[in-house]
Amino acid sequence: MDIQLIFDRGKECGIEDMEVYMVKNSSMNINIYEGNLEGYSIAEENTLSIRGIYKGKMGYSYTEKIEEDSIDELLGNLIQYAESNEKEYIEVLAEPKEQYKDAKEKNDKLSKYTEEEKIDFLKSIEKEALNFDKRISIVENCSYEEYTNSVFIKNTKGLELEDKYSIGILNLSVVAKDGEDVQTGYSYMVIDDLSDEYKNTLVRDAVSDGINMLKATTIASGNYEIILRNNVVANLFNSMSRVFLGDVVQRNLSMMKGKIGEKVGSDLLNIVEDPLLNNGMISRTFDDEGNPTFSKYIIEKGILKTFLHNTKTAEKEGLESTGNGFRISHKGSIGVLPTNMYIEKGDSTLEDMIDSMDMGIMITDIQGLHAGINPTSGDFSLSSSGFLIEKGQISKPICQITIAGNFYDLLVNITAIGNDTKFSFPMMNYFGSPSIKLNSLTVAGN
C-alpha cells in the first residue's frame, strides 16, 4: 500500500499529523507424538494501523486488508474515533531521534533448517526423553513453535523505522510412573539453533522433574527457610511485573508508588529490563511510539530506580519515555508494556544454597498464579511442590503444600541469588531469574 497516499488523503480530510504502523507476523507449529507428526501448521498475518490528530483529538484505525481501496474506510474510522475521544491527553507523534541503537547482529540460525530437519529434531527429543529413564511411560507433548515479527513505523514528521525479530520455543512434557504413582514433568526453552545442548538440557529438566517427584508426600505446616528454584521465581515475578509499569503505578495499583530512590529489596537484588536481550521474547530498537529502547535497571542493589513509561505516563512525572510504549495488538491504542525483564545472576550455585540449609524447602513448581496472587497488595497463596532439605541434603519430594507470603516482603528477604537463570514461558511478558533463597515463607501442608 502506498503510505504517502494515506498521508495525502488524510490531509485532504483534515487530519493533521499521521502515522502508519505495519506489522507482519508469521508462525510455525510442529507437534510430535509417538514418533509421528501429529500436527503441523503455518500462519501469516499482515496488519496496518494508523493514528492521527483530527480537530485536536487522536484517532485510531486498523485493517487486515492492506489494499488501496480500504484507505477511505481507514480514514473514516480514524475520524469517528477522534470525534468520540474524550481523553484530555493529546498524544504527540514522535520525531526522528539520534539515540536509536543499531540492532544487534541477528544470527538467524533457525532459518537455515528445513521443516523436515525441525521435525526430525523433535522426534529425537521425544526418543531421548523416553530412553532417559525406564519410569518415563509416555511423552505427552513434544512441540516446536517459531515466530517471526517485523514492525514498520512511518509518520508525517519524518520518522521511519523498521525492526525484525524471531524466536523458537521447544516444549516437552513427560509422564513418570512407578507402580500406581504418576507424576508429570515439563520444561520449555527459547532457542536460536537446533543444538544437542538445548535438547539435552530440555530432556534432563523435564524428565528429572517427573521422576524426582515420584513418591512425594506432604509435610507439617510451619515457617520454613525457602529456596525458590529459578523457574518458580521467573513465573512469580512475571505475574507481578505489572507493579513496575508507569500506568499501573499512576492508577494506584502498585505498592511501589512513591518509592523511587528508596530501598525496596535486598542489597543483592538487581532487576533489569532489556529490549535488546539475546534470545529475548521481544527484541526491539524502538517502541511502538517510535521512541528508542535501551537497557535499564528497575531495581539496583535493592533501590527502586525507575518505572517503565510510554510518552504519556512519562510526561505526567516530568520524565522522558523509557521506550516502553507498546500496543497489545494492532487493534489497540498504545499502553505501557515491558520487553525482557530479569534478575541479574548472583554468586551462589543452587548446590550452595541447598548445602547452607539445616531444615528448609526447595520449591520447584507453583500452580494457580492467576487466582492465588493479588497483583496490587502482593499477597500470594500458591499450591506448590518441591523437596524437603535436611542438613544440607535433599531428603524427599513433597507435594500438596501451599506457600503463602507477600511479594514486597519477599524482595527484602532475599538472602542469596543463584547463577542458574531460567525465563518464564514467553507470552505477553517475559521474566528471567536465577534461583533465590529466602529467610522464610509460610508453608501449609494438606
Side-chain angles (χ1 to χ4, degrees), residues 160-206:
E160 185 169 350
L161 299 168
E162 188 169 7
D163 220 340
K164 182 178 180 180
Y165 60 96
S166 301
I167 61 169
I169 307 169
L170 290 172
N171 298 281
L172 180 64
S173 177
V174 302
V175 175
K177 188 174 182 180
D178 187 357
E180 296 299 315
D181 191 10
V182 177
Q183 299 287 344
T184 60
Y186 170 67
S187 189
Y188 53 86
M189 183 175 293
V190 172
I191 64 170
D192 60 1
D193 198 1
L194 304 186
S195 72
D196 287 340
E197 179 183 357
Y198 288 142
K199 175 170 64 175
N200 295 338
T201 301
L202 182 78
V203 171
R204 183 192 67 237
D205 289 352

mmCIF file of all heavy atoms in Angstrom, residues 160-206:
data_model
loop_
_atom_site.group_PDB
_atom_site.id
_atom_site.type_symbol
_atom_site.label_atom_id
_atom_site.label_comp_id
_atom_site.label_asym_id
_atom_site.label_seq_id
_atom_site.Cartn_x
_atom_site.Cartn_y
_atom_site.Cartn_z
ATOM 1 N N GLU A 160 10.861 7.190 10.276
ATOM 2 C CA GLU A 160 10.706 5.952 9.516
ATOM 3 C C GLU A 160 11.641 4.908 10.123
ATOM 4 O O GLU A 160 12.854 5.053 10.094
ATOM 5 C CB GLU A 160 11.022 6.145 8.036
ATOM 6 C CG GLU A 160 10.742 4.902 7.198
ATOM 7 C CD GLU A 160 10.803 5.167 5.707
ATOM 8 O OE1 GLU A 160 10.878 6.351 5.314
ATOM 9 O OE2 GLU A 160 10.772 4.180 4.937
ATOM 10 N N LEU A 161 11.042 3.860 10.692
ATOM 11 C CA LEU A 161 11.801 2.844 11.417
ATOM 12 C C LEU A 161 11.305 1.454 11.044
ATOM 13 O O LEU A 161 10.125 1.253 10.753
ATOM 14 C CB LEU A 161 11.636 3.032 12.929
ATOM 15 C CG LEU A 161 12.118 4.360 13.534
ATOM 16 C CD1 LEU A 161 11.603 4.497 14.959
ATOM 17 C CD2 LEU A 161 13.632 4.431 13.505
ATOM 18 N N GLU A 162 12.217 0.483 11.097
ATOM 19 C CA GLU A 162 11.840 -0.904 10.821
ATOM 20 C C GLU A 162 12.674 -1.820 11.703
ATOM 21 O O GLU A 162 13.859 -1.596 11.923
ATOM 22 C CB GLU A 162 12.059 -1.244 9.351
ATOM 23 C CG GLU A 162 11.512 -2.609 8.956
ATOM 24 C CD GLU A 162 11.491 -2.819 7.451
ATOM 25 O OE1 GLU A 162 12.032 -1.960 6.729
ATOM 26 O OE2 GLU A 162 10.926 -3.843 7.006
ATOM 27 N N ASP A 163 12.040 -2.869 12.227
ATOM 28 C CA ASP A 163 12.723 -3.840 13.075
ATOM 29 C C ASP A 163 12.138 -5.225 12.835
ATOM 30 O O ASP A 163 10.978 -5.364 12.432
ATOM 31 C CB ASP A 163 12.558 -3.464 14.552
ATOM 32 C CG ASP A 163 13.825 -3.681 15.347
ATOM 33 O OD1 ASP A 163 14.680 -4.457 14.882
ATOM 34 O OD2 ASP A 163 13.965 -3.075 16.423
ATOM 35 N N LYS A 164 12.945 -6.254 13.116
ATOM 36 C CA LYS A 164 12.515 -7.626 12.904
ATOM 37 C C LYS A 164 13.183 -8.523 13.937
ATOM 38 O O LYS A 164 14.359 -8.344 14.245
ATOM 39 C CB LYS A 164 12.890 -8.093 11.489
ATOM 40 C CG LYS A 164 12.438 -9.515 11.144
ATOM 41 C CD LYS A 164 12.824 -9.841 9.706
ATOM 42 C CE LYS A 164 12.385 -11.259 9.333
ATOM 43 N NZ LYS A 164 12.761 -11.598 7.940
ATOM 44 N N TYR A 165 12.422 -9.448 14.483
ATOM 45 C CA TYR A 165 12.997 -10.392 15.442
ATOM 46 C C TYR A 165 12.275 -11.733 15.347
ATOM 47 O O TYR A 165 11.118 -11.813 14.928
ATOM 48 C CB TYR A 165 12.931 -9.842 16.873
ATOM 49 C CG TYR A 165 11.542 -9.548 17.389
ATOM 50 C CD1 TYR A 165 10.851 -10.460 18.165
ATOM 51 C CD2 TYR A 165 10.923 -8.328 17.110
ATOM 52 C CE1 TYR A 165 9.583 -10.182 18.647
ATOM 53 C CE2 TYR A 165 9.658 -8.034 17.587
ATOM 54 C CZ TYR A 165 8.995 -8.978 18.358
ATOM 55 O OH TYR A 165 7.731 -8.704 18.839
ATOM 56 N N SER A 166 12.987 -12.793 15.745
ATOM 57 C CA SER A 166 12.450 -14.153 15.665
ATOM 58 C C SER A 166 12.791 -14.915 16.933
ATOM 59 O O SER A 166 13.829 -14.673 17.564
ATOM 60 C CB SER A 166 13.032 -14.903 14.458
ATOM 61 O OG SER A 166 12.764 -14.249 13.259
ATOM 62 N N ILE A 167 11.921 -15.845 17.319
ATOM 63 C CA ILE A 167 12.226 -16.755 18.417
ATOM 64 C C ILE A 167 11.724 -18.149 18.078
ATOM 65 O O ILE A 167 10.762 -18.324 17.318
ATOM 66 C CB ILE A 167 11.608 -16.314 19.762
ATOM 67 C CG1 ILE A 167 10.060 -16.246 19.674
ATOM 68 C CG2 ILE A 167 12.178 -15.005 20.234
ATOM 69 C CD1 ILE A 167 9.405 -16.070 21.032
ATOM 70 N N GLY A 168 12.396 -19.143 18.643
ATOM 71 C CA GLY A 168 11.941 -20.526 18.574
ATOM 72 C C GLY A 168 11.727 -21.040 19.988
ATOM 73 O O GLY A 168 12.477 -20.685 20.905
ATOM 74 N N ILE A 169 10.700 -21.839 20.187
ATOM 75 C CA ILE A 169 10.369 -22.342 21.525
ATOM 76 C C ILE A 169 10.163 -23.857 21.459
ATOM 77 O O ILE A 169 9.392 -24.360 20.637
ATOM 78 C CB ILE A 169 9.080 -21.707 22.075
ATOM 79 C CG1 ILE A 169 9.152 -20.187 22.014
ATOM 80 C CG2 ILE A 169 8.825 -22.164 23.516
ATOM 81 C CD1 ILE A 169 7.831 -19.507 22.292
ATOM 82 N N LEU A 170 10.866 -24.587 22.332
ATOM 83 C CA LEU A 170 10.680 -26.028 22.481
ATOM 84 C C LEU A 170 9.854 -26.297 23.730
ATOM 85 O O LEU A 170 10.056 -25.668 24.770
ATOM 86 C CB LEU A 170 12.026 -26.739 22.610
ATOM 87 C CG LEU A 170 12.921 -26.796 21.372
ATOM 88 C CD1 LEU A 170 14.284 -27.349 21.751
ATOM 89 C CD2 LEU A 170 12.285 -27.641 20.276
ATOM 90 N N ASN A 171 8.918 -27.251 23.643
ATOM 91 C CA ASN A 171 8.104 -27.664 24.791
ATOM 92 C C ASN A 171 8.190 -29.176 24.934
ATOM 93 O O ASN A 171 8.091 -29.908 23.934
ATOM 94 C CB ASN A 171 6.633 -27.285 24.578
ATOM 95 C CG ASN A 171 6.418 -25.805 24.453
ATOM 96 O OD1 ASN A 171 6.402 -25.091 25.433
ATOM 97 N ND2 ASN A 171 6.265 -25.328 23.225
ATOM 98 N N LEU A 172 8.360 -29.641 26.157
ATOM 99 C CA LEU A 172 8.420 -31.082 26.412
ATOM 100 C C LEU A 172 7.711 -31.398 27.717
ATOM 101 O O LEU A 172 8.036 -30.829 28.765
ATOM 102 C CB LEU A 172 9.873 -31.559 26.489
ATOM 103 C CG LEU A 172 10.079 -33.053 26.750
ATOM 104 C CD1 LEU A 172 9.535 -33.889 25.585
ATOM 105 C CD2 LEU A 172 11.558 -33.361 26.984
ATOM 106 N N SER A 173 6.743 -32.300 27.655
ATOM 107 C CA SER A 173 6.004 -32.751 28.841
ATOM 108 C C SER A 173 6.013 -34.272 28.873
ATOM 109 O O SER A 173 5.669 -34.921 27.881
ATOM 110 C CB SER A 173 4.561 -32.233 28.806
ATOM 111 O OG SER A 173 3.822 -32.709 29.906
ATOM 112 N N VAL A 174 6.422 -34.845 30.018
ATOM 113 C CA VAL A 174 6.532 -36.294 30.146
ATOM 114 C C VAL A 174 5.727 -36.778 31.345
ATOM 115 O O VAL A 174 5.441 -36.023 32.271
ATOM 116 C CB VAL A 174 8.002 -36.739 30.299
ATOM 117 C CG1 VAL A 174 8.832 -36.270 29.116
ATOM 118 C CG2 VAL A 174 8.605 -36.223 31.608
ATOM 119 N N VAL A 175 5.389 -38.070 31.325
ATOM 120 C CA VAL A 175 4.697 -38.714 32.438
ATOM 121 C C VAL A 175 5.613 -39.784 33.015
ATOM 122 O O VAL A 175 6.089 -40.663 32.297
ATOM 123 C CB VAL A 175 3.368 -39.349 31.991
ATOM 124 C CG1 VAL A 175 2.727 -40.121 33.141
ATOM 125 C CG2 VAL A 175 2.424 -38.288 31.461
ATOM 126 N N ALA A 176 5.888 -39.669 34.317
ATOM 127 C CA ALA A 176 6.693 -40.661 35.023
ATOM 128 C C ALA A 176 5.765 -41.537 35.859
ATOM 129 O O ALA A 176 4.826 -41.038 36.487
ATOM 130 C CB ALA A 176 7.719 -39.975 35.917
ATOM 131 N N LYS A 177 6.041 -42.843 35.862
ATOM 132 C CA LYS A 177 5.159 -43.775 36.564
ATOM 133 C C LYS A 177 5.980 -44.797 37.335
ATOM 134 O O LYS A 177 6.946 -45.355 36.814
ATOM 135 C CB LYS A 177 4.240 -44.481 35.568
ATOM 136 C CG LYS A 177 3.155 -45.333 36.208
ATOM 137 C CD LYS A 177 2.197 -45.884 35.154
ATOM 138 C CE LYS A 177 1.077 -46.687 35.808
ATOM 139 N NZ LYS A 177 0.137 -47.237 34.805
ATOM 140 N N ASP A 178 5.587 -45.016 38.592
ATOM 141 C CA ASP A 178 6.209 -46.036 39.442
ATOM 142 C C ASP A 178 5.100 -46.711 40.217
ATOM 143 O O ASP A 178 4.611 -46.171 41.201
ATOM 144 C CB ASP A 178 7.224 -45.391 40.385
ATOM 145 C CG ASP A 178 8.025 -46.431 41.165
ATOM 146 O OD1 ASP A 178 7.750 -47.644 41.013
ATOM 147 O OD2 ASP A 178 8.924 -46.032 41.935
ATOM 148 N N GLY A 179 4.669 -47.872 39.741
ATOM 149 C CA GLY A 179 3.512 -48.523 40.330
ATOM 150 C C GLY A 179 2.263 -47.713 40.060
ATOM 151 O O GLY A 179 1.952 -47.388 38.916
ATOM 152 N N GLU A 180 1.557 -47.355 41.131
ATOM 153 C CA GLU A 180 0.342 -46.554 40.987
ATOM 154 C C GLU A 180 0.626 -45.052 41.044
ATOM 155 O O GLU A 180 -0.265 -44.239 40.814
ATOM 156 C CB GLU A 180 -0.658 -46.921 42.094
ATOM 157 C CG GLU A 180 -1.157 -48.362 42.033
ATOM 158 C CD GLU A 180 -1.875 -48.653 40.731
ATOM 159 O OE1 GLU A 180 -2.710 -47.823 40.304
ATOM 160 O OE2 GLU A 180 -1.586 -49.702 40.130
ATOM 161 N N ASP A 181 1.859 -44.699 41.342
ATOM 162 C CA ASP A 181 2.214 -43.283 41.473
ATOM 163 C C ASP A 181 2.562 -42.701 40.100
ATOM 164 O O ASP A 181 3.408 -43.241 39.380
ATOM 165 C CB ASP A 181 3.410 -43.135 42.418
ATOM 166 C CG ASP A 181 3.670 -41.684 42.801
ATOM 167 O OD1 ASP A 181 2.811 -40.828 42.489
ATOM 168 O OD2 ASP A 181 4.716 -41.405 43.398
ATOM 169 N N VAL A 182 1.897 -41.608 39.749
ATOM 170 C CA VAL A 182 2.107 -40.968 38.453
ATOM 171 C C VAL A 182 2.412 -39.484 38.677
ATOM 172 O O VAL A 182 1.710 -38.805 39.427
ATOM 173 C CB VAL A 182 0.865 -41.110 37.547
ATOM 174 C CG1 VAL A 182 1.084 -40.363 36.232
ATOM 175 C CG2 VAL A 182 0.562 -42.578 37.287
ATOM 176 N N GLN A 183 3.482 -39.001 38.043
ATOM 177 C CA GLN A 183 3.855 -37.598 38.125
ATOM 178 C C GLN A 183 4.183 -37.090 36.721
ATOM 179 O O GLN A 183 4.543 -37.864 35.839
ATOM 180 C CB GLN A 183 5.072 -37.396 39.035
ATOM 181 C CG GLN A 183 4.864 -37.831 40.473
ATOM 182 C CD GLN A 183 3.968 -36.889 41.255
ATOM 183 O OE1 GLN A 183 3.727 -35.754 40.837
ATOM 184 N NE2 GLN A 183 3.455 -37.363 42.389
ATOM 185 N N THR A 184 4.068 -35.786 36.532
ATOM 186 C CA THR A 184 4.419 -35.188 35.242
ATOM 187 C C THR A 184 5.615 -34.250 35.401
ATOM 188 O O THR A 184 5.841 -33.688 36.478
ATOM 189 C CB THR A 184 3.243 -34.390 34.649
ATOM 190 O OG1 THR A 184 2.882 -33.347 35.553
ATOM 191 C CG2 THR A 184 2.051 -35.290 34.398
ATOM 192 N N GLY A 185 6.364 -34.126 34.327
ATOM 193 C CA GLY A 185 7.467 -33.179 34.280
ATOM 194 C C GLY A 185 7.369 -32.364 33.010
ATOM 195 O O GLY A 185 7.029 -32.895 31.946
ATOM 196 N N TYR A 186 7.648 -31.083 33.123
ATOM 197 C CA TYR A 186 7.501 -30.198 31.961
ATOM 198 C C TYR A 186 8.668 -29.222 31.914
ATOM 199 O O TYR A 186 9.130 -28.724 32.946
ATOM 200 C CB TYR A 186 6.186 -29.417 32.040
ATOM 201 C CG TYR A 186 6.055 -28.317 31.013
ATOM 202 C CD1 TYR A 186 5.946 -28.619 29.661
ATOM 203 C CD2 TYR A 186 6.070 -26.979 31.391
ATOM 204 C CE1 TYR A 186 5.841 -27.610 28.709
ATOM 205 C CE2 TYR A 186 5.964 -25.965 30.449
ATOM 206 C CZ TYR A 186 5.851 -26.285 29.107
ATOM 207 O OH TYR A 186 5.760 -25.292 28.177
ATOM 208 N N SER A 187 9.145 -28.955 30.702
ATOM 209 C CA SER A 187 10.160 -27.925 30.515
ATOM 210 C C SER A 187 9.963 -27.272 29.157
ATOM 211 O O SER A 187 9.317 -27.826 28.268
ATOM 212 C CB SER A 187 11.568 -28.524 30.626
ATOM 213 O OG SER A 187 12.536 -27.487 30.654
ATOM 214 N N TYR A 188 10.524 -26.094 29.004
ATOM 215 C CA TYR A 188 10.430 -25.326 27.769
ATOM 216 C C TYR A 188 11.732 -24.545 27.614
ATOM 217 O O TYR A 188 12.496 -24.358 28.579
ATOM 218 C CB TYR A 188 9.246 -24.354 27.808
ATOM 219 C CG TYR A 188 9.257 -23.469 29.023
ATOM 220 C CD1 TYR A 188 9.976 -22.269 29.024
ATOM 221 C CD2 TYR A 188 8.602 -23.842 30.189
ATOM 222 C CE1 TYR A 188 10.027 -21.475 30.143
ATOM 223 C CE2 TYR A 188 8.651 -23.055 31.321
ATOM 224 C CZ TYR A 188 9.359 -21.874 31.294
ATOM 225 O OH TYR A 188 9.422 -21.091 32.413
ATOM 226 N N MET A 189 11.984 -24.069 26.420
ATOM 227 C CA MET A 189 13.239 -23.365 26.177
ATOM 228 C C MET A 189 13.116 -22.498 24.936
ATOM 229 O O MET A 189 12.618 -22.946 23.902
ATOM 230 C CB MET A 189 14.361 -24.393 25.997
ATOM 231 C CG MET A 189 15.735 -23.816 25.819
ATOM 232 S SD MET A 189 16.985 -25.133 25.771
ATOM 233 C CE MET A 189 16.882 -25.722 27.453
ATOM 234 N N VAL A 190 13.558 -21.260 25.046
ATOM 235 C CA VAL A 190 13.701 -20.399 23.880
ATOM 236 C C VAL A 190 15.058 -20.703 23.257
ATOM 237 O O VAL A 190 16.080 -20.704 23.935
ATOM 238 C CB VAL A 190 13.607 -18.912 24.268
ATOM 239 C CG1 VAL A 190 13.954 -18.019 23.074
ATOM 240 C CG2 VAL A 190 12.207 -18.578 24.766
ATOM 241 N N ILE A 191 15.065 -20.982 21.956
ATOM 242 C CA ILE A 191 16.298 -21.425 21.300
ATOM 243 C C ILE A 191 16.596 -20.568 20.071
ATOM 244 O O ILE A 191 15.716 -19.900 19.532
ATOM 245 C CB ILE A 191 16.209 -22.906 20.880
ATOM 246 C CG1 ILE A 191 15.102 -23.099 19.825
ATOM 247 C CG2 ILE A 191 15.957 -23.797 22.089
ATOM 248 C CD1 ILE A 191 15.114 -24.475 19.175
ATOM 249 N N ASP A 192 17.870 -20.595 19.667
ATOM 250 C CA ASP A 192 18.266 -19.932 18.428
ATOM 251 C C ASP A 192 18.955 -20.896 17.469
ATOM 252 O O ASP A 192 19.473 -20.496 16.430
ATOM 253 C CB ASP A 192 19.183 -18.740 18.717
ATOM 254 C CG ASP A 192 20.464 -19.150 19.451
ATOM 255 O OD1 ASP A 192 20.652 -20.350 19.723
ATOM 256 O OD2 ASP A 192 21.274 -18.258 19.757
ATOM 257 N N ASP A 193 18.958 -22.196 17.830
ATOM 258 C CA ASP A 193 19.610 -23.207 16.996
ATOM 259 C C ASP A 193 19.079 -24.575 17.403
ATOM 260 O O ASP A 193 18.595 -24.756 18.527
ATOM 261 C CB ASP A 193 21.132 -23.144 17.183
ATOM 262 C CG ASP A 193 21.900 -23.827 16.059
ATOM 263 O OD1 ASP A 193 21.254 -24.336 15.119
ATOM 264 O OD2 ASP A 193 23.139 -23.856 16.133
ATOM 265 N N LEU A 194 19.176 -25.538 16.513
ATOM 266 C CA LEU A 194 18.782 -26.914 16.830
ATOM 267 C C LEU A 194 20.015 -27.665 17.321
ATOM 268 O O LEU A 194 20.574 -28.513 16.631
ATOM 269 C CB LEU A 194 18.184 -27.608 15.601
ATOM 270 C CG LEU A 194 16.985 -26.928 14.926
ATOM 271 C CD1 LEU A 194 16.435 -27.811 13.821
ATOM 272 C CD2 LEU A 194 15.899 -26.606 15.936
ATOM 273 N N SER A 195 20.438 -27.355 18.532
ATOM 274 C CA SER A 195 21.678 -27.912 19.054
ATOM 275 C C SER A 195 21.416 -29.023 20.061
ATOM 276 O O SER A 195 20.382 -29.053 20.736
ATOM 277 C CB SER A 195 22.514 -26.816 19.721
ATOM 278 O OG SER A 195 21.925 -26.412 20.939
ATOM 279 N N ASP A 196 22.387 -29.940 20.176
ATOM 280 C CA ASP A 196 22.289 -31.016 21.163
ATOM 281 C C ASP A 196 22.287 -30.461 22.583
ATOM 282 O O ASP A 196 21.691 -31.049 23.490
ATOM 283 C CB ASP A 196 23.444 -32.006 20.991
ATOM 284 C CG ASP A 196 23.288 -32.886 19.757
ATOM 285 O OD1 ASP A 196 22.142 -33.003 19.261
ATOM 286 O OD2 ASP A 196 24.291 -33.443 19.284
ATOM 287 N N GLU A 197 22.955 -29.331 22.786
ATOM 288 C CA GLU A 197 22.985 -28.730 24.123
ATOM 289 C C GLU A 197 21.583 -28.355 24.568
ATOM 290 O O GLU A 197 21.172 -28.640 25.706
ATOM 291 C CB GLU A 197 23.877 -27.493 24.109
ATOM 292 C CG GLU A 197 23.954 -26.784 25.454
ATOM 293 C CD GLU A 197 24.776 -25.514 25.397
ATOM 294 O OE1 GLU A 197 25.343 -25.212 24.332
ATOM 295 O OE2 GLU A 197 24.834 -24.809 26.427
ATOM 296 N N TYR A 198 20.816 -27.710 23.699
ATOM 297 C CA TYR A 198 19.439 -27.374 24.031
ATOM 298 C C TYR A 198 18.611 -28.632 24.264
ATOM 299 O O TYR A 198 17.835 -28.716 25.220
ATOM 300 C CB TYR A 198 18.810 -26.548 22.902
ATOM 301 C CG TYR A 198 19.321 -25.133 22.793
ATOM 302 C CD1 TYR A 198 19.514 -24.545 21.545
ATOM 303 C CD2 TYR A 198 19.596 -24.371 23.921
ATOM 304 C CE1 TYR A 198 19.967 -23.225 21.431
ATOM 305 C CE2 TYR A 198 20.053 -23.069 23.816
ATOM 306 C CZ TYR A 198 20.242 -22.507 22.566
ATOM 307 O OH TYR A 198 20.691 -21.211 22.462
ATOM 308 N N LYS A 199 18.772 -29.609 23.391
ATOM 309 C CA LYS A 199 17.995 -30.843 23.511
ATOM 310 C C LYS A 199 18.280 -31.544 24.835
ATOM 311 O O LYS A 199 17.358 -31.972 25.544
ATOM 312 C CB LYS A 199 18.312 -31.778 22.339
ATOM 313 C CG LYS A 199 17.636 -33.143 22.443
ATOM 314 C CD LYS A 199 17.783 -33.945 21.162
ATOM 315 C CE LYS A 199 19.223 -34.286 20.844
ATOM 316 N NZ LYS A 199 19.316 -35.166 19.665
ATOM 317 N N ASN A 200 19.552 -31.679 25.171
ATOM 318 C CA ASN A 200 19.923 -32.402 26.381
ATOM 319 C C ASN A 200 19.407 -31.710 27.636
ATOM 320 O O ASN A 200 18.938 -32.355 28.578
ATOM 321 C CB ASN A 200 21.444 -32.557 26.460
ATOM 322 C CG ASN A 200 22.004 -33.419 25.340
ATOM 323 O OD1 ASN A 200 21.285 -34.217 24.747
ATOM 324 N ND2 ASN A 200 23.279 -33.265 25.036
ATOM 325 N N THR A 201 19.490 -30.375 27.653
ATOM 326 C CA THR A 201 19.001 -29.623 28.808
ATOM 327 C C THR A 201 17.494 -29.753 28.943
ATOM 328 O O THR A 201 16.961 -29.962 30.042
ATOM 329 C CB THR A 201 19.385 -28.137 28.683
ATOM 330 O OG1 THR A 201 20.803 -28.035 28.602
ATOM 331 C CG2 THR A 201 18.884 -27.336 29.865
ATOM 332 N N LEU A 202 16.776 -29.635 27.830
ATOM 333 C CA LEU A 202 15.315 -29.747 27.844
ATOM 334 C C LEU A 202 14.879 -31.102 28.372
ATOM 335 O O LEU A 202 14.009 -31.198 29.249
ATOM 336 C CB LEU A 202 14.776 -29.530 26.428
ATOM 337 C CG LEU A 202 13.259 -29.557 26.269
ATOM 338 C CD1 LEU A 202 12.656 -28.234 26.724
ATOM 339 C CD2 LEU A 202 12.865 -29.830 24.819
ATOM 340 N N VAL A 203 15.468 -32.161 27.853
ATOM 341 C CA VAL A 203 15.098 -33.518 28.262
ATOM 342 C C VAL A 203 15.429 -33.748 29.729
ATOM 343 O O VAL A 203 14.610 -34.284 30.491
ATOM 344 C CB VAL A 203 15.802 -34.551 27.365
ATOM 345 C CG1 VAL A 203 15.603 -35.961 27.926
ATOM 346 C CG2 VAL A 203 15.274 -34.469 25.934
ATOM 347 N N ARG A 204 16.629 -33.355 30.132
ATOM 348 C CA ARG A 204 17.035 -33.569 31.526
ATOM 349 C C ARG A 204 16.090 -32.863 32.496
ATOM 350 O O ARG A 204 15.660 -33.445 33.501
ATOM 351 C CB ARG A 204 18.453 -33.047 31.735
ATOM 352 C CG ARG A 204 19.000 -33.293 33.147
ATOM 353 C CD ARG A 204 20.265 -32.526 33.408
ATOM 354 N NE ARG A 204 20.027 -31.085 33.442
ATOM 355 C CZ ARG A 204 20.649 -30.218 32.668
ATOM 356 N NH1 ARG A 204 21.547 -30.621 31.777
ATOM 357 N NH2 ARG A 204 20.378 -28.928 32.760
ATOM 358 N N ASP A 205 15.736 -31.609 32.195
ATOM 359 C CA ASP A 205 14.882 -30.845 33.111
ATOM 360 C C ASP A 205 13.487 -31.456 33.210
ATOM 361 O O ASP A 205 12.933 -31.585 34.310
ATOM 362 C CB ASP A 205 14.786 -29.396 32.656
ATOM 363 C CG ASP A 205 16.093 -28.628 32.859
ATOM 364 O OD1 ASP A 205 17.011 -29.184 33.494
ATOM 365 O OD2 ASP A 205 16.188 -27.492 32.368
ATOM 366 N N ALA A 206 12.894 -31.797 32.067
ATOM 367 C CA ALA A 206 11.528 -32.343 32.088
ATOM 368 C C ALA A 206 11.483 -33.703 32.761
ATOM 369 O O ALA A 206 10.632 -33.964 33.625
ATOM 370 C CB ALA A 206 10.981 -32.433 30.665
#
